[in-house]
């Protein structure tokens, strides 16, 4: 046990440490943001003196803080307060009610944006809204609705705002769907890539700097609420360095970071990628920054010719013949400067060709010791796994299949989907592998959805994808989100376990992760989130400990003020009612009724438990469109 006086002691907990030498404990001592003692109450409490804060964990379960291996927090934070999040909302009727209410308070010329994090399969109605339905609730306010990276729905006001009309030429890499007269209908399709979706979204209004700071703080707090204490940011399209990183830098300078963020640099210039990385390796030092905000290497875009967009509704894209040469040039620059890199790669065809380039560089500059890796890797082959192992690389997987599994099965078949990606096999072969989300557009930022997906093999729509041999037990899945991620940020021995010397990052989940039914895992949150020993989020019995006060979300019409975040948790008895209660959702999903109500979906119980407006039955069934009472 450490002998220095700790700053804070947490005791009376049921602590899962993930330290194989000491798997369980009841108390921890923290000094200068790190664990200095982990053990029993009788071992740790005597280290405290009159200056030490002592916190009772009330016998609750404690886990290491969750660490997302691939997300887009920098970009997401700049826009979080502008976005109406449908993440986790289980009914399209509820989602459309949220949209209607947000339209009513959004001033011109602002847009209402629903920017990913959901799939139509999560709704009991199993569909997206029609453009006519969006126009009906928003005749004058621009609405931009992004569904994964396959399509966007724009109402008439949004088409006018972006200037798309009969004369607008077809953009490269995408399609503006038109009616018989050549007028845009409002549907944009990523065919074969999502550039049209990025470019159209970029036309929308942006928040001023002080609002972006507020927005980023609210996004980080939402991540803290779900138990996230660290992320690796994978860059992104239209995310320019250093300009778009100024907000997070400001928060880091002012000690307002409540997650640890390591960032990768993502090239923005097709055919000029090598120049970008020559400039950055000459001006940015690998790992520059501190424990809360620092550089982590290059990617996930290294060269545009290697991008194999993850839209399973479209055929696998054929990459350009010059891909290997361009990729080799960039990787050579990175290897010469000892910069790690990450590369977006959905398909094995991309991975195998990229490995050809990596192996050529390895002939001159050994890659072992550089923590490089592939992202996603849904269809990676056994041969590619072995080639990665030989070169000392890693594989970062994300739960995109939880959102796109139905589309993958439709195109490639259920058999092909059984190992997409083959996580258990990668673990068995000893290759470095960890988990994340790829939030906030193609999947939600909720880590428990990822954990549930790895454990149950189910999509958010309820489709079981994987056989038992490709599922993970709960401890292994938890390690995928904690200690395994440390290699991908080159912080092994510093984080990922509750162990002396590690960062003092931990959470108290809302229910026992190891005991709740499998179908409840995705509904977990955190009741206490601690980063560097500091409480950054607390509710339930720990609410008095919260040390992270935030001003209200800005602007005052922000969707974040009302709906808050995942599953519309800000409205637990309204928009979030069908989304925050596991058993209620299961009952709705399993309803065998042949008639889905236009207002309530299959949640007939909600209508039956309410008071029917019997004084006007014609208005009740007609104006409200409710057919629950007729079932």
């Amino acid at each position: 046990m450490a002998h220095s006086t700790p700053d804070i002691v947490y005791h009376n907990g049921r602590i899962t440490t993930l330290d194989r030498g000491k798997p369980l404990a009841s108390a921890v001592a923290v000094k200068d943001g790190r664990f200095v003692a982990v053990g029993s109450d009788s071992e740790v409490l005597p280290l405290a003196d009159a200056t030490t804060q002592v916190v009772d964990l009330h016998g609750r379960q404690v886990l290491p803080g969750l660490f997302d291996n691939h997300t887009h927090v920098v970009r997401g934070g700049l826009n979080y307060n502008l976005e109406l999040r449908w993440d986790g909302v289980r009914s399209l009727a509820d989602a459309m009610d949220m949209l209607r209410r947000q339209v009513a308070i959004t001033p011109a010329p602002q847009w209402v944006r629903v920017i990913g994090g959901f799939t139509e399969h999560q709704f009991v109605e199993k569909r997206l809204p029609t453009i006519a339905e969006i126009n009906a609730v928003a005749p004058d306010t621009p609405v931009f609705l992004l569904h994964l990276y396959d399509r966007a729905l724009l109402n008439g006001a949004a088409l006018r705002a972006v200037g798309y009309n009969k004369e607008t030429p077809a953009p490269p890499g995408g399609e503006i769907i038109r009616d018989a007269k050549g007028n845009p209908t409002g549907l944009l399709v990523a065919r074969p890539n999502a550039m049209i979706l990025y470019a159209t979204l970029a036309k929308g209004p942006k928040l001023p700097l002080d609002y972006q700071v507020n927005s980023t703080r609210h996004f980080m707090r939402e991540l803290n609420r779900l138990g996230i204490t660290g992320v690796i940011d994978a860059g992104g399209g239209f995310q320019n360095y250093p300009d778009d990183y100024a907000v997070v830098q400001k928060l880091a300078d002012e000690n307002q970071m409540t997650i640890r963020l390591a960032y990768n640099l993502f090239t923005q210039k097709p055919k000029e990628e090598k120049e970008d990385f020559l400039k950055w390796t000459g001006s940015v030092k690998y790992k520059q920054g501190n424990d809360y905000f620092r550089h982590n290497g290059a990617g996930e875009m290294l060269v545009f010719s290697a991008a194999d967009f993850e839209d399973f509704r479209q055929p696998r894209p054929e990459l350009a013949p010059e891909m290997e040469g361009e990729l080799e040039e960039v990787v050579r620059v990175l290897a010469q400067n000892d910069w790690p890199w990450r590369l977006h790669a959905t398909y094995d065809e991309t991975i195998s060709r990229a490995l050809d380039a990596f192996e050529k560089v390895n002939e001159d500059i050994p890659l072992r010791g550089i923590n490089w890796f592939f992202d996603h890797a849904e269809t990676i082959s056994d041969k590619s796994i072995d080639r990665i192992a030989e070169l000392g690389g890693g594989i970062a997987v994300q739960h995109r299949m939880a959102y796109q599994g139905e589309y993958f099965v439709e195109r490639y078949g259920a058999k092909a989907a059984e190992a997409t990606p083959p996580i258990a096999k990668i673990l068995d072969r000893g290759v470095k592998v960890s988990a994340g989300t790829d939030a906030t557009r193609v999947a939600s930022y909720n880590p428990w959805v990822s954990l549930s997906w790895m454990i149950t093999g189910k999509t958010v729509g309820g489709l079981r994808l994987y056989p038992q041999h490709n599922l993970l037990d709960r401890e292994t899945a938890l390690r995928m989100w904690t200690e395994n991620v440390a290699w991908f940020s080159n912080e092994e021995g510093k984080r990922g376990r509750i162990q002396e010397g590690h960062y003092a990052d931990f959470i108290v989940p809302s229910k026992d992760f190891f005991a709740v039914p499998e179908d409840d895992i995705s509904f977990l949150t955190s009741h206490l989130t601690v980063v560097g020993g500091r409480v950054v989020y607390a509710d339930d019995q720990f609410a008095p400990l919260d040390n992270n006060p935030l001003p209200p979300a800005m602007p005052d019409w922000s969707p974040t003020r009302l709906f808050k975040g995942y599953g519309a948790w800000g409205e637990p008895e309204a928009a979030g009612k069908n989304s925050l209660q596991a058993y209620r959702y299961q009952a709705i999903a399993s309803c065998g009724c042949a008639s889905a109500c236009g207002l309530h979906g299959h949640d007939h119980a909600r209508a039956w438990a309410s008071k029917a407006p019997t004084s006007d039955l014609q208005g009740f069934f007609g104006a409200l469109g409710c057919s629950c009472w007729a079932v």
Side-chain angles (χ1 to χ4, degrees), residues 451 454-455 472-481 513:
L451 286 158
M454 290 187 289
I455 293 163
L472 304 186
D473 63 75
R474 298 191 195 201
E475 180 178 327
T476 302
L478 182 61
R479 290 183 188 275
M480 289 280 289
W481 262 90
F513 168 68

Side-chain angles (χ1 to χ4, degrees), residues 186-198:
L187 175 61
L188 308 181
V189 176
R191 188 180 291 139
N193 65 58
M195 192 56 66
I196 186 175
L197 309 182
Y198 311 147

Side-chain angles (χ1 to χ4, degrees), residues 76-84 102 105-113 205-218 551-564:
L78 299 180
N79 300 288
Y80 182 69
N81 282 358
L82 288 176
E83 296 175 356
L84 180 66
Q102 185 59 44
I105 62 172
T106 300
Q110 295 292 336
W111 300 9
V112 177
R113 307 169 217 218
K206 294 177 175 57
L207 292 172
L209 178 63
D210 56 337
Y211 284 39
Q212 290 177 336
V213 171
N214 176 280
S215 177
T216 300
R217 291 189 67 192
H218 276 273
M554 301 163 61
D556 57 8
W557 50 266
S558 167
T560 304
R561 285 208 179 191
L562 181 59
F563 303 112
K564 302 298 185 186

Side-chain angles (χ1 to χ4, degrees), residues 213-222 224 251 256 258 534 536 546-553 560:
V213 171
N214 176 280
S215 177
T216 300
R217 291 189 67 192
H218 276 273
F219 186 31
M220 290 194 298
R221 184 167 176 84
E222 169 71 351
N224 294 150
L251 292 172
Q256 291 186 335
T258 62
R534 174 194 168 199
V536 296
D546 199 331
N547 191 29
N548 182 30
L550 284 186
T560 304

Side-chain angles (χ1 to χ4, degrees), residues 320-336:
E322 64 268 21
M323 173 263 211
E324 286 90 342
E326 292 180 353
L327 185 58
E328 181 189 341
E329 285 191 342
V330 166
V331 169
R332 195 170 292 277
V333 169
L334 299 174
Q336 287 168 343

Side-chain angles (χ1 to χ4, degrees), residues 118 127 176 213 221 224 242 284 291 327 340 344 371 401 441-442 516-517 520 535 550 556 601 604 606 616 630:
F118 77 99
R127 68 174 182 90
I176 300 173
V213 171
R221 184 167 176 84
N224 294 150
V284 179
D291 292 342
L327 185 58
H344 165 108
N371 292 21
M401 285 293 288
R441 295 180 180 174
V442 299
V516 296
D520 286 9
V535 175
L550 284 186
D556 57 8
H604 309 302
R606 182 172 63 161
D616 184 9

Side-chain angles (χ1 to χ4, degrees), residues 416-529:
E418 288 185 354
T420 49
I423 300 173
K425 183 177 292 184
I426 296 168
L427 283 164
D428 288 344
R429 296 193 180 205
V431 176
K432 299 294 185 181
V433 61
S434 64
T437 63
D438 199 7
T440 57
R441 295 180 180 174
V442 299
S444 177
Y445 50 75
N446 189 334
W448 304 102
V449 177
S450 169
L451 286 158
S452 174
W453 164 72
M454 290 187 289
I455 293 163
T456 70
K458 293 180 182 178
T459 69
V460 295
L463 175 66
R464 187 180 296 277
L465 294 172
Y466 310 132
Q468 187 63 40
H469 66 261
N470 201 33
L471 301 180
L472 304 186
D473 63 75
R474 298 191 195 201
E475 180 178 327
T476 302
L478 182 61
R479 290 183 188 275
M480 289 280 289
W481 262 90
T482 52
E483 69 170 5
N484 286 18
V485 190
W487 182 89
F488 293 78
S489 62
N490 209 348
E491 294 176 291
E492 288 182 296
K494 294 183 178 180
R495 67 189 306 170
R497 298 187 294 272
I498 297 176
Q499 182 177 331
E500 292 172 27
H502 279 229
Y503 299 147
D505 303 346
F506 64 88
I507 64 173
V508 174
S510 53
K511 294 181 181 179
D512 188 328
F513 168 68
F514 291 104
V516 296
E518 282 189 349
D519 286 338
D520 286 9
I521 292 172
S522 66
F523 292 88
L524 295 178
T525 60
S526 175
H527 281 170
L528 180 69
T529 301

